[in-house]
Amino acid sequence: MQSGTFHTNYASDMALRPYWPQRIRIVLVIVLVLAFPWFADRYWLNLANTIGIAAIAAIGLNILVGYTGQISIGHGGFLAVGAFSAGLLAARLNMPMWITVPVASLFTAGVGAIFGLPSARLKGLYLAIATLAAQEIIIWVLNHGKLLGIGESLALSRETTNIFGIPMIGNTDFSFYWVIMGSLVLTVIFVSNLFRTRAGRAFVAIRDQDIAAQVIGVDLFTYKLLAFATSSFFAGLAGALTAHYRGIISWERFTIDTSILYLAMIIIGGLGSVSGAIYGAIFMTLLPAILSNLARALSGTVPQINSYLPFMQQGAFGLAIILFLIFEPEGIVKMWRNVKDYFRLWPFSY
Amino acid sequence: MAGRNGATLPEPQMVIDGVSLSFGGVRALSEISFNVYPGTIQAIIGPNGAGKTSLLNCISGLYRPQEGQIRFEGRNIIGLAPHQIARLGIARSFQNIELFRHMTVVDNLMLGRHVHMHSGVLSGGLYWGRAQREEIAHRELVEQVIDLLEIQAIRKKTVGALSYGLQKRVELGRALAMSPRLLLLDEPMAGMNSEEKEDMARFILDISEEQRTTIVLIEHDMGVVMDISDNVAVLEFGLLIAYGTPDEVKANPRVIDAYLGREHAA
């Protein structure tokens, strides 16, 4: 614990970042995020946007799995609900994105709460199987979605990508960067605040000791549904942003592989941590990109390497998850904390 | 049978009326009836497996007895969910510590304020304004509990990293943070050394005297029970075999046979 900082009122004691090294770091991160798009090319902007969307969804999943302790393998399905509800509103009703994104997020929150109903009776692995059913039902509906008027995929008109009527012209990667990062920043602030107040504490109480949580007055059923709804809200936000950013969506993007990828993200990044979800999103997005760049660089010396690339990427995912579970089950967050602790005590490491 | 003053009997705060509880063929409680009077320390003693914790679980809503009533301040609470019973002002601690291990001491105590607070997911996420004001107001009350239990130095520590005795104290604090009208303590001194037991007994007496909180206490240490409690109920094999002041219970031949042993009587 940091020493030498003295609080004279409860507001400063409860601040999210009470210590000056934390404040310097957050300023550096903000500067980096603001400066990045002016120097990055389209390839890196696309990667940054992919990371931003993944981070929003991973934070959402962490609310449910990491903080509330309710395992869900239906997150891909909830992303799909967000993407397709935003997509349908935009494609069929020509609604602009500043309406479709919030509406789709709220709608996904409702769908998430409905699929959270089994959590009243089921815990752990049994609940995981129930959420797997959610995943499969949602994808089945979208796959057979003739009623909804979805074919193989859904294309969104570019006219709908505007904010309060101001069209996002020119380089869409560049303009979407600000929309996505803005959403991510709001998500981070909202979720960080949530977990230092009453409702967030109740979520963590359910994870740590559900019987004691009941006895101090937490209504388990209500709060589990709230956790599902809040988590799905951010899945819906990420899905809706994906729909508008890609301009074309199909159910294949949201299969169970996606659900498991997001679980891997929060395990590798750090369960029950907002920054952990972001680290996980960065790691899991950059890993395949780095591998494919590596393969391209080596294709001169090893000619067949490109045909092995998909296998290598899959293998690297699996390897990363296994290595993290063995060597750092608390994820990248813990590794980063170890680094900070080392330098705080440096040069006297005792 | 009443409080230490021995004045006329006040209205009981809680009436346990013919409570019977079975698990399949096992009868854990048989027609238990006794009253708990406001502001008193009510001890429940008995050998292992007598049904003491089962009775507490019935009161806090974790078990549902098949027969009988438990009336708290005139209202039958059997059938209410545990969180509804908490809202009526009944708090408890557990025999095996059931704290939120990964949270800090302050957060554990703030969870004790849960029923008295109102902000939800939305106002909590927006924080600045209503939720922050509420957090600060309740943090002040939590700090009073921290002062009472003398745990200032560990308020920001993660509970899982604390010693057993301190965890027991934090668990008492969490129950106390609920500002309960009835406090159920399940073996608050189990596994403690004599110094820690003295501290705990002092806290329990402080709570009883300063806040006039009614306390129902399960404890095995006869010395402590006889010293601090106003009334004692003795259970054996799910039956209430004696009820009265510590002196009355100590003199009861059935209690001596069942529990205290012959030397104790001498």
Side-chain angles (χ1 to χ4, degrees):
Chain A
M1 202 186 297
Q2 187 94 12
S3 60
T5 308
F6 303 102
H7 301 286
T8 51
N9 62 57
Y10 292 125
S12 83
D13 189 46
M14 296 189 295
L16 287 174
R17 304 193 165 266
Y19 308 121
W20 63 265
Q22 296 175 314
R23 293 194 178 139
I24 291 175
R25 279 200 298 271
I26 199 74
V27 168
L28 287 177
V29 169
I30 290 168
V31 169
L32 185 71
V33 167
L34 290 178
F36 177 79
W38 306 99
F39 300 104
D41 59 13
R42 288 199 72 148
Y43 176 77
W44 283 101
L45 274 172
N46 180 31
L47 268 182
N49 290 343
T50 311
I51 288 172
I53 291 174
I56 295 172
I59 291 171
L61 184 63
N62 224 347
I63 293 174
L64 190 61
V65 179
Y67 283 107
T68 319
Q70 312 293 306
I71 301 172
S72 163
I73 32 183
H75 212 59
F78 298 134
L79 279 160
V81 172
F84 277 89
S85 49
L88 283 171
L89 289 175
R92 300 281 175 267
L93 302 173
N94 244 354
M95 282 188 183
M97 123 186 200
W98 57 275
I99 297 177
T100 63
V101 171
V103 170
S105 307
L106 286 172
F107 177 69
T108 312
V111 172
I114 291 168
F115 281 111
L117 287 172
S119 68
R121 297 275 166 185
L122 303 177
K123 276 190 201 177
L125 281 176
Y126 302 96
L127 178 64
I129 296 301
T131 58
L132 176 63
Q135 166 79 38
E136 295 303 329
I137 289 167
I138 290 169
I139 295 302
W140 189 87
V141 167
L142 293 173
N143 200 3
H144 297 73
K146 294 200 180 62
L147 285 174
L148 303 167
I150 311 161
E152 282 295 299
S153 60
L154 190 67
L156 281 71
S157 131
R158 274 285 155 212
E159 287 160 32
T160 58
T161 45
N162 67 65
I163 303 226
F164 304 117
I166 306 160
M168 291 165 57
I169 38 157
N171 185 345
T172 51
D173 288 307
F174 182 80
S175 38
F176 259 100
Y177 179 86
W178 300 107
V179 174
I180 290 168
M181 288 303 153
S183 309
L184 177 58
V185 167
L186 291 180
T187 303
V188 167
I189 294 173
F190 186 92
V191 176
S192 308
N193 281 337
L194 176 62
F195 285 101
R196 57 172 168 162
T197 51
R198 175 175 178 267
R201 274 194 302 267
F203 288 163
V204 182
I206 292 172
R207 176 195 72 190
D208 273 9
Q209 186 48 258
D210 55 353
I211 290 173
Q214 274 178 297
V215 167
I216 57 159
V218 175
D219 181 353
L220 286 194
F221 184 50
T222 308
Y223 274 88
K224 281 180 182 175
L225 287 193
L226 270 175
F228 266 93
T230 315
S231 165
S232 306
F233 178 89
F234 293 110
L237 175 60
L241 287 172
T242 310
H244 282 278
Y245 180 45
R246 302 292 173 201
I248 184 160
I249 41 171
S250 97
W251 60 271
E252 286 161 342
R253 191 184 275 281
F254 307 106
T255 56
I256 185 165
D257 293 7
T258 313
S259 296
I260 290 169
L261 176 70
Y262 276 104
L263 273 178
M265 253 181 227
I266 59 172
I267 290 169
I268 284 177
L271 287 168
S273 154
V274 172
S275 44
I278 299 173
Y279 300 149
I282 294 173
F283 185 88
M284 290 306 243
T285 314
L286 287 187
L287 183 64
I290 287 170
L291 282 179
S292 58
N293 282 339
L294 209 64
R296 205 171 305 136
L298 290 177
S299 58
T301 45
V302 192
Q304 287 97 11
I305 196 163
N306 271 322
S307 59
Y308 294 122
L309 186 60
F311 304 110
M312 282 166 53
Q313 286 173 336
Q314 293 285 333
F317 275 141
L319 192 64
I321 295 170
I322 291 169
L323 289 179
F324 266 97
L325 286 179
I326 293 173
F327 292 107
E328 195 54 275
E330 289 175 60
I332 300 173
V333 158
K334 182 69 194 306
M335 295 167 75
W336 174 227
R337 202 181 304 141
N338 291 344
V339 170
K340 284 189 291 192
D341 285 346
Y342 178 82
F343 280 102
R344 187 154 67 230
L345 298 173
W346 188 86
F348 305 109
S349 58
Y350 44 80
Chain B
M1 269 223 270
R4 249 159 286 180
N5 313 326
T8 49
L9 282 178
E11 274 291 291
Q13 188 176 18
M14 181 166 67
V15 178
I16 296 168
D17 185 4
V19 167
S20 298
L21 173 74
S22 320
F23 299 105
V26 183
R27 206 157 167 80
L29 297 170
S30 309
E31 295 176 25
I32 305 287
S33 298
F34 64 90
N35 294 342
V36 177
Y37 294 95
T40 59
I41 298 180
Q42 166 75 56
I44 302 174
I45 62 171
N48 287 327
K52 306 181 295 292
T53 300
S54 295
L55 182 60
L56 238 56
N57 284 345
C58 290
I59 299 172
S60 54
L62 295 172
Y63 292 164
R64 189 168 181 167
Q66 283 83 8
E67 287 164 44
Q69 286 196 337
I70 297 174
R71 286 188 298 277
F72 178 69
E73 297 178 346
R75 178 178 177 189
N76 185 16
I77 58 172
I78 285 176
L80 294 182
H83 69 268
Q84 292 168 317
I85 290 172
R87 229 162 268 165
L88 296 176
I90 300 180
R92 77 171 283 185
S93 73
F94 291 87
Q95 189 173 357
N96 310 312
I97 301 165
E98 309 277 5
L99 284 164
F100 308 117
R101 293 181 53 81
H102 299 96
M103 304 176 94
T104 63
V105 171
V106 163
D107 279 344
N108 268 275
L109 298 193
M110 286 297 282
L111 267 158
R113 299 298 305 163
H114 185 86
V115 290
H116 300 287
M117 297 170 76
H118 303 286
S119 67
V121 170
L122 194 60
S123 58
L126 300 175
Y127 191 68
W128 291 281
R130 213 175 70 114
Q132 189 185 25
R133 279 196 302 277
E134 188 182 59
E135 289 290 319
I136 290 172
H138 288 270
R139 174 69 188 274
E140 277 164 12
L141 297 169
V142 160
E143 288 292 334
Q144 290 173 9
V145 175
I146 288 176
D147 285 345
L148 177 75
L149 297 181
E150 297 162 12
I151 48 177
Q152 296 91 340
I154 55 162
R155 60 158 80 80
K156 288 285 172 89
K157 288 247 165 73
T158 306
V159 160
L162 296 175
S163 70
Y164 178 84
L166 281 177
Q167 289 193 15
K168 278 271 182 196
R169 212 188 281 187
V170 174
E171 203 186 15
L172 173 64
R174 185 182 64 190
L176 210 53
M178 291 172 72
S179 312
R181 289 206 293 285
L182 175 66
L183 183 58
L184 312 172
L185 302 176
D186 196 347
E187 300 198 20
M189 297 163 204
M192 290 185 163
N193 63 35
S194 57
E195 197 180 331
E196 288 171 324
K197 276 185 188 175
E198 274 173 31
D199 278 342
M200 193 56 95
R202 180 162 57 85
F203 295 136
I204 292 170
L205 285 171
D206 281 350
I207 295 161
S208 174
E209 278 163 21
E210 287 172 22
Q211 309 182 358
R212 307 301 306 156
T213 308
T214 315
I215 295 172
V216 173
L217 171 77
I218 296 179
E219 189 44 60
H220 276 298
D221 188 312
M222 273 312 120
V224 173
V225 168
M226 296 305 170
D227 277 352
I228 69 172
S229 47
D230 298 303
N231 293 310
V232 181
V234 188
L235 299 187
E236 191 197 18
F237 297 120
L239 291 163
L240 181 71
I241 59 168
Y243 178 87
T245 62
D247 290 333
E248 288 168 0
V249 165
K250 256 190 276 192
N252 186 315
R254 281 189 74 185
V255 177
I256 295 166
D257 278 350
Y259 194 33
L260 296 177
R262 281 285 163 194
E263 306 104 283
H264 241 275

